[in-house]
Amino acid sequence: AQSVTQPDIHITVSEGASLELRCNYSYGATPYLFWYVQSPGQGLQLLLKYFSGDTLVQGIKGFEAEFKRSQSSFNLRKPSVHWSDAAEYFCAVGAMWGNDMRFGAGTRLTVKP
Amino acid sequence: DAGVIQSPRHEVTEMGQEVTLRCKPISGHNSLFWYRQTMMRGLELLIYFNNNVPIDDSGMPEDRFSAKMPNASFSTLKIQPSEPRDSAVYFCASSIISGGSAGNTIYFGEGSWLTVV
């Protein structure tokens, strides 16, 4: 069965600094990988997804993620964080056929002024 | 385009009462999911439907929980009787299974915030 690990429960960065959120997955076949963001009191919004092709994926709000099969990782990055990026970020792995999507525990991002 | 619509957004109820949460998936989507989110357990998949048929309900915590999808545009999650430990945010989500790059991206509603006192 697939699983997702987000090693960092909480990360604090200064506004304007770069950001990397870690995600490691376990999956027996080609994974389909996602990053979602959840602002306080809101639902989850899709930031980006990887299915195949270029391993560097661009998403909304200036985020990108890189799929590294050898490391079973799908880390999320942003070159310069804005205060509005403060939220909870979830990595997820799913299958193409069927809907057994698994979410990580989430990483809460705090942005310092 | 309308996203996944959930109601009620917030509900406070007394222990022992029946709670019904409602969901309208995105039009054209053929899969629907119910998730529960708590601080302790994170985001848990409770049940999902494909073409209105329950496929996997192994995440439903106990018999007090039931879910139905009578048609492609409506689903309910019912808790009867409710208990304080059921307090959580319940998310409905939908997706479409298809080939190609669309894959199975899941789109979430804004959640129903349930408090059982």
Side-chain angles (χ1 to χ4, degrees):
Chain A
Q2 59 263 44
S3 66
V4 179
T5 301
Q6 293 181 246
D8 305 305
I9 296 174
H10 184 205
I11 284 182
T12 299
V13 299
S14 298
E15 189 168 17
S18 64
L19 171 71
E20 182 168 27
L21 302 182
R22 296 184 291 166
C23 173
N24 294 99
Y25 67 89
S26 173
Y27 192 63
T30 301
Y32 292 86
L33 297 159
F34 307 80
W35 275 99
Y36 285 83
V37 60
Q38 184 181 28
S39 297
Q42 302 295 315
L44 279 72
Q45 180 185 21
L46 180 69
L47 278 178
L48 48 79
K49 59 189 178 185
Y50 171 79
F51 291 132
S52 64
D54 192 344
T55 56
L56 185 62
V57 180
Q58 301 298 320
I60 62 172
K61 304 185 181 186
F63 285 92
E64 66 179 26
E66 186 172 12
F67 170 58
K68 293 185 177 180
R69 184 186 298 275
S70 62
Q71 299 177 17
S72 298
S73 69
F74 189 57
N75 294 347
L76 181 71
R77 300 195 294 249
K78 186 170 184 178
S80 178
V81 169
H82 188 261
W83 64 267
S84 61
D85 294 325
E88 186 103 19
Y89 291 80
F90 293 92
C91 182
V93 60
M96 177 69 171
W97 301 108
N99 287 285
D100 193 12
M101 181 176 281
R102 300 294 171 178
F103 285 83
T107 298
R108 183 161 61 92
L109 174 65
T110 298
V111 180
K112 294 190 301 184
Chain B
D1 291 340
V4 176
I5 299 172
Q6 292 186 244
S7 65
R9 287 296 315 279
H10 298 272
E11 176 142 354
V12 180
T13 191
E14 290 185 346
M15 182 174 62
Q17 296 298 305
E18 177 181 294
V19 174
T20 299
L21 308 179
R22 298 173 179 80
C23 175
K24 177 178 168 54
I26 293 172
S27 177
H29 281 191
N30 57 10
S31 295
L32 182 140
F33 310 80
W34 283 100
Y35 287 88
R36 178 173 66 177
Q37 185 179 37
T38 60
M39 288 292 293
M40 292 298 295
R41 300 174 69 89
L43 199 61
E44 303 173 277
L45 177 64
L46 299 178
I47 185 172
Y48 77 85
F49 296 83
N50 193 34
N51 294 322
N52 311 338
V53 176
I55 302 300
D56 183 357
D57 65 355
S58 60
M60 295 286 262
E62 48 197 277
D63 292 345
R64 297 185 297 106
F65 286 70
S66 63
K68 294 182 180 179
M69 191 166 187
N71 58 62
S73 60
F74 183 67
S75 176
T76 59
L77 178 67
K78 185 176 293 187
I79 309 172
Q80 166 68 22
S82 58
E83 296 182 3
R85 60 194 169 114
D86 301 330
S87 299
V89 185
Y90 292 82
F91 287 104
C92 179
S94 70
S95 75
I96 183 166
I97 297 179
S98 64
S101 62
N104 65 340
T105 303
I106 293 179
Y107 296 88
F108 284 79
E110 295 198 332
S112 292
W113 301 68
L114 174 65
T115 302
V116 183
V117 299

